[in-house]
Amino acid sequence: MKSTQRQIIAIAAHIAMALFTVAAMAQTIADSPELYPGEKALYDAARKEGMVVSFDTGPTWANWAAEFAAFKKRYPEVEIVYNDIGSGATVVALDKSRNRPQADTAYYFAASGIDAAAKGVVAPFKPVNFDKLAPVFRDPDGKWFTIHTLTVAFVVNTKLVKNVPQSWADLLKPEYKNTIVYLDPRSTGVGQVVAFAANFGGGGDMSNVQPGLDYFAKLHQSGNVLRVLGTTPYAQFVKGEIPIWISYENDGLKAKYVDGLGDAVTVVIPKEASAAAPYAISLVEKGPNPNAGKLWLNFIMSDMGQGIFAQGFVRPSVPGVKLPDNVADKLPAAPQVRPLDVTAAAAKKSDIDKGWAAATGSK
């Protein structure tokens, strides 16, 4: 395991430096002020461990490659090893290796963080800025905490859609017949978050999902839904095959600014309301490099680390973090966005699954 980990260190560093330039904003800890009190002492302890093993932080997702590069530049004597296995698989891996953990930190959709905490495979740790997080974005003991969010938005191909919809109500208009694509809420996390976003837009809340179910019934009856999918159709959207995609904001911004679609894409957060899905991370219980793990988590949650996430078009979880100048206008304030309470969402999953199928006539 160790030899395999060391083999991919160089690959991870190469990907990070080749694909992202944001890490240039970082400085080494030796020639800059501390990001938080005690940072240099923690680095001294982490240096003795020499590495941090970060589960499920794939470099192409959420700007992790830039986080890797900035961390390595600031802390040159601590290497980073990662894998990319998915939220559910991460919890399974932690559970199977609980007697001899391989990971120091684990990243996942926050619902999986709750699962990991319930299984006793993650440790309490409160990083910098922890107390600034919304209560629904953190475990009270620090066994998981949100590091960034993904916001539901309309991702619109303006070559195919003349009038860009601005609201959930707009999507019901006849002009959008056979234009809308979204993911199945029964089988995908994104679909579940979309269902809650539509529910908020219809006046519902975490305890009452009926407005959202009523909305989907109207949407499907209107004939405006082109198809409901079980896997993300990003490639199809980029190819120009989808007029309106209800997905995450960062998908649209990536298509617009990274993959070359430019003005052919408009990203709209519906004006009534939307939902922000929390993505969380944890310190692993009895991980092999606990000090390096804490150093990594503190960096991610520092103002610097949060700004790097914004560079990847995901919204920082820490309120009030100043966004880098080159993304501030791309992530405008959206006060209508509500934080998703994943504990309450899990309790309502069965209601949404059954209610959505009945409302839309899906099998």
Side-chain angles (χ1 to χ4, degrees), residues 49-197:
E49 296 167 348
M51 70 163 57
V52 57
V53 182
S54 178
F55 266 25
D56 202 33
T57 48
T60 61
W61 174 261
N63 219 21
W64 279 115
E67 295 281 5
F68 296 157
F71 180 85
K72 188 66 178 76
K73 182 172 182 178
R74 186 164 185 83
Y75 312 110
E77 295 183 55
V78 179
E79 302 288 358
I80 296 183
V81 177
Y82 67 85
N83 65 16
D84 185 8
I85 57 177
S87 295
T90 293
V91 178
V92 171
L94 294 179
D95 195 21
K96 287 184 176 180
S97 63
R98 64 169 61 237
N99 294 325
R100 291 190 64 187
Q102 301 295 319
D104 298 304
T105 66
Y107 165 74
Y108 23 47
F109 182 59
S112 292
I114 294 173
D115 189 21
K119 293 181 183 301
V121 294
V122 291
F125 176 66
K126 297 180 180 181
V128 295
N129 288 325
F130 178 86
D131 292 337
K132 296 180 181 179
L133 297 177
V136 297
F137 279 178
R138 64 186 184 187
D139 172 75
D141 296 324
K143 291 184 177 180
W144 61 267
F145 43 89
T146 300
I147 52 177
H148 70 78
T149 62
L150 296 178
T151 299
V152 170
F154 305 155
V155 182
V156 183
N157 184 323
T158 56
K159 290 185 177 180
L160 303 176
V161 178
K162 181 179 179 181
N163 299 313
V164 175
Q166 300 296 313
S167 66
W168 294 104
D170 283 349
L171 292 186
L172 300 175
K173 294 178 178 179
E175 66 184 285
Y176 300 118
K177 189 174 182 65
N178 290 324
T179 63
I180 299 168
V181 171
Y182 67 97
L183 291 183
D184 192 326
R186 298 170 298 179
S187 60
T188 68
V190 178
Q192 277 277 310
V193 180
V194 167
F196 277 104

Side-chain angles (χ1 to χ4, degrees), residues 15 21 72 84 91 112 153 164 171 195 261 266-267 272 299 301 308 335 337:
I15 291 172
T21 60
K72 188 66 178 76
D84 185 8
V91 178
S112 292
V164 175
L171 292 186
L261 271 65
T266 295
V267 181
E272 301 100 334
F299 180 77
M301 284 292 287
I308 293 171
V337 176

